Amino acid sequence: MTWRQFAGCLLAAAACATCLRLPGLSQSPAPPIRFEYRPIPFVLENSVTPRKHLPETMPGGVAVFDFDNDGYPDIFFTNGAEMPGLQKSSTKFSNRLFHNNGRGGFEDVTAKAGLAGTGFDIGVAVADFNNDGYKDLFVAGVYRSTLYRNNGDGTFTDITAKAGLAKPDERYGRLWGVAAAWLDFDGDGLLDLFVVNYCIWDAQKEIRCETGGKPDYCHPKNYQGLPNSLYRNNGDGTFTDVSASSGIRKYVGRGMSAAVADYDGDGRPDIFVTNDKLFNFLFHNEGAGKFSEMAFDAGVAATEDGNPVSGMGVDFRDINNDGLPDLFFTALPDETFPLYLNAGKARFDEATHASRLSLITRKMAGWGAGIYDFDNDGWKDIFVARSEVLSPDGSRAGRARQPNSVLRNLANGKMEDATESAGLLARPPMMHRGVAFGDFNRDGRIDAVVTSLGAEAELWINASPSANHWLDLDLVGTRSNKDAVGARVKLVTRKGSQFNHVSTAVGYASSSAGPVHFGMGAETQAERIEITWPSGIVQAISAVPADQVLRVVEKTQ
């Protein structure tokens, strides 16, 4: 038995001995977080075959972003393709764009937008890469990724080749992209592109694996990994591959997701990558276009027992309100969902056991995840899109399908499983994958949209009964990139301080582009808001009323 397993047993015994009556655990008379299910007509098609080709289990990312600037967040779904040919042979495999009509409904505008796609698509990343005021889409897929420029008239144009992103890799040829993240790594006001690559895969050489005598998807150890890719934005609509010169390329993994934050406060964005049954990567931005891999030094390469886990979806945000971005990511059963608290001085401390996440998540499997304050009490919670990698028709099918979960932050270093009280058991367990977040009905509460293999997507509207207040900041860069990606925000009320930053990369293969959200509890005013823009400009605002979306434009000096 490993120390991790032993510690889990101790936690379980302690919980049993106290009948789970821990401080703050499910003591409130009404559920503090509550979601209501709404249907949305999109089915994630992964083209399951008897061969159990590996890509079949990997889709599908989802993006929440306001593509037409009408103030209401819209939804984009990636979709699979026919296996093993990797072609969207019928419309059922089309990627889909749904326009939010502002009245509680969504309209399919895929055809007009030109976003149906052609290949087996998995991940999506949103950002205004050309600073024209309209958010663009990068779609990562098997052997083909696509950059779509938003034309500002409801249509998008595939500019992949023109942008220089269609070139084959000099060593590996075609790369399998799973996810991506936008960041301005060199501080020039232009968003650069980081692509998470998974593994080398050949449909003609697919390995046959079984679980309980039935065909199943193979363990990732059977596939050789790939390096990730970094592309510098040249400012003229093209990109230059700087994977090698930056130091990124020499690290080979099986990447599943990426999250971006300035974890050491040096003013430069850093990148964390979860790997599938390999040690994680933490790429520290050294400046001058260089990155150093620091995961072991920082204490986030593996869990505290020293073993790498099946790292899946990740988020990189301050969960304990100390001003330092923390790391949370999902994994598979018996691995738990690790939580690393930023201890400063470029080090993290694993808090999986101390937070009770070891006990709560030991039997869970998760893909997408996001750190948001769902009950607006001033403390960020966690939403997880759950399911196994196993085939849903295999010998362990019952374990494969799982419900989504909410892990509520109790503001004392502990988390609680709020899955049932939040209403997430209203839907049957599914093979959930990506999840993205936004305030679809503009009521100040963060909602979620989740994809499921072979099933209709799930829209979860936040109907939490709390009367807590909130404040959203819609930041617009001038000297910085237009989306203000990388901006750091401190919000101060009479009760204390909170911190967040702008990033559209969240969870597994997904993207959430919206205002920076703060829950404020009973406070009706922010005493002070301090914004540190990527340019280095610091801008402060005082006496800001709650319950509004405040647009803030970066000062020019």
Side-chain angles (χ1 to χ4, degrees):
M1 176 181 290
T2 67
W3 163 247
R4 189 176 182 80
Q5 291 170 327
F6 178 69
C9 291
L10 289 178
L11 281 171
C16 180
T18 59
C19 300
L20 293 180
R21 289 191 296 269
L22 297 178
L25 192 61
S26 299
Q27 301 299 313
S28 56
I33 299 176
R34 183 77 184 178
F35 287 93
E36 295 179 355
Y37 167 75
R38 299 286 187 275
I40 189 163
F42 167 77
V43 175
L44 178 59
E45 300 286 353
N46 58 330
S47 188
V48 176
T49 66
R51 288 291 300 275
K52 302 296 182 187
H53 292 294
L54 187 61
E56 296 169 14
T57 193
M58 299 292 282
V62 54
V64 172
F65 72 121
D66 184 2
F67 80 88
D68 58 351
N69 292 343
D70 67 352
Y72 286 91
D74 311 297
I75 305 173
F76 174 81
F77 294 101
T78 65
N79 209 350
E82 188 173 23
M83 294 293 291
L86 304 178
Q87 297 296 315
K88 295 189 187 296
S89 56
S90 70
T91 55
K92 75 174 185 177
F93 292 112
S94 295
N95 302 329
R96 303 277 287 281
L97 177 65
F98 288 88
H99 177 250
N100 185 342
N101 64 17
R103 301 183 300 277
F106 290 84
E107 177 189 3
D108 187 340
V109 295
T110 309
K112 177 186 176 183
L115 290 174
T118 59
F120 200 105
D121 295 318
I122 294 178
V124 56
V126 174
D128 179 6
F129 81 89
N130 56 1
N131 289 333
D132 68 350
Y134 291 92
K135 290 179 169 54
D136 312 293
L137 291 175
F138 177 81
V139 177
V142 185
Y143 296 161
R144 174 187 173 89
S145 294
T146 310
L147 178 61
Y148 294 100
R149 183 189 65 220
N150 188 335
N151 299 318
D153 59 359
T155 69
F156 291 74
T157 299
D158 178 351
I159 61 167
T160 315
K162 181 179 178 181
L165 297 174
K167 301 173 183 177
D169 185 86
E170 60 184 18
R171 176 177 178 182
Y172 299 98
R174 300 173 298 173
L175 296 175
W176 174 354
V178 171
W182 293 96
L183 72 160
D184 182 4
F185 76 86
D186 52 3
D188 63 355
L190 301 168
L191 288 176
D192 311 296
L193 179 64
F194 181 86
V195 182
V196 181
N197 297 316
Y198 188 54
C199 73
I200 297 173
W201 171 80
D202 187 338
Q204 305 306 315
K205 300 177 182 178
E206 187 65 270
I207 307 164
R208 179 178 174 84
C209 298
E210 294 183 348
T211 301
K214 292 185 178 182
D216 212 334
Y217 299 106
C218 292
H219 192 282
K221 68 182 180 182
N222 294 290
Y223 302 89
Q224 181 182 342
L226 289 168
N228 300 300
S229 303
L230 180 64
Y231 300 93
R232 186 185 67 235
N233 189 335
N234 299 322
D236 59 359
T238 68
F239 292 78
T240 298
D241 188 343
V242 294
S243 308
S245 63
S246 66
I248 296 288
R249 184 178 174 86
K250 65 182 178 181
Y251 297 96
V252 175
R254 286 188 291 265
M256 291 291 286
S257 61
V260 180
D262 177 10
Y263 77 92
D264 60 346
D266 65 0
R268 296 185 292 265
D270 311 299
I271 309 168
F272 181 81
V273 179
T274 59
N275 280 311
D276 197 356
K277 278 297 184 182
L278 291 172
F279 295 113
N280 302 315
F281 296 145
L282 178 59
F283 293 112
H284 179 255
N285 190 339
E286 303 288 350
K290 303 293 184 181
F291 286 81
S292 296
E293 204 291 295
M294 303 295 289
F296 276 100
D297 292 338
V300 295
T303 52
E304 61 187 11
D305 63 4
N307 294 319
V309 299
S310 306
M312 310 290 264
V314 62
D315 206 356
F316 203 168
R317 298 186 188 277
D318 179 14
I319 201 167
N320 57 356
N321 289 344
D322 67 352
L324 302 170
D326 309 303
L327 279 165
F328 170 86
F329 59 90
T330 56
L332 296 183
D334 297 321
E335 295 177 336
T336 73
F337 296 169
L339 173 65
Y340 298 91
L341 297 182
N342 192 329
K345 298 182 180 180
R347 286 285 305 176
F348 292 78
D349 294 327
E350 186 174 351
T352 315
H353 300 316
S355 65
R356 299 188 69 251
L357 287 176
S358 179
L359 174 64
I360 294 170
T361 67
R362 183 163 299 280
K363 298 304 179 184
M364 293 181 178
W367 289 73
I371 300 175
Y372 288 83
D373 186 355
F374 296 107
D375 53 2
N376 286 336
D377 67 349
W379 295 86
K380 299 180 191 68
D381 314 293
I382 301 172
F383 188 105
V384 177
R386 287 174 50 201
S387 77
E388 254 276 22
V389 181
L390 300 169
S391 172
D393 57 5
S395 61
R396 291 188 283 178
R399 174 175 154 180
R401 294 184 177 91
Q402 297 187 19
N404 299 309
S405 283
V406 169
L407 309 173
R408 183 180 175 234
N409 190 337
L410 299 179
N412 60 2
K414 310 290 184 184
M415 307 291 289
E416 73 168 347
D417 183 359
T419 302
E420 183 174 2
S421 62
L424 294 174
L425 300 183
R427 293 283 295 165
M430 292 291 179
M431 298 292 292
H432 298 115
R433 287 298 185 261
V435 57
F437 305 89
D439 183 2
F440 294 113
N441 53 4
R442 301 204 302 189
D443 66 352
R445 293 174 288 191
I446 298 296
D447 312 306
V449 57
V450 186
T451 63
S452 302
L453 294 183
E456 196 168 68
E458 300 171 5
L459 184 61
W460 292 98
I461 298 299
N462 191 335
S464 299
S466 172
N468 288 335
H469 299 282
W470 56 276
L471 183 64
D472 284 358
L473 299 179
D474 180 16
L475 304 184
V476 181
T478 53
R479 288 183 57 184
S480 305
N481 65 86
K482 191 88 169 184
D483 282 348
V485 169
R488 292 170 289 163
V489 184
K490 177 181 180 180
L491 181 144
V492 182
T493 69
R494 294 178 302 171
K495 296 295 185 181
S497 300
Q498 295 182 54
F499 304 83
N500 210 332
H501 66 277
V502 180
S503 175
T504 66
V506 62
Y508 172 72
S510 297
S511 196
S512 299
V516 180
H517 180 80
F518 290 95
M520 295 175 59
E523 298 301 303
T524 59
Q525 176 177 278
E527 302 295 311
R528 178 180 173 86
I529 297 172
E530 186 175 289
I531 303 164
T532 303
W533 298 87
S535 64
I537 292 173
V538 179
Q539 190 169 343
I541 310 170
S542 299
V544 179
D547 303 327
Q548 64 165 318
V549 178
L550 179 66
R551 187 177 180 89
V552 182
V553 178
E554 180 182 15
K555 291 183 178 179
T556 56
Q557 59 179 12

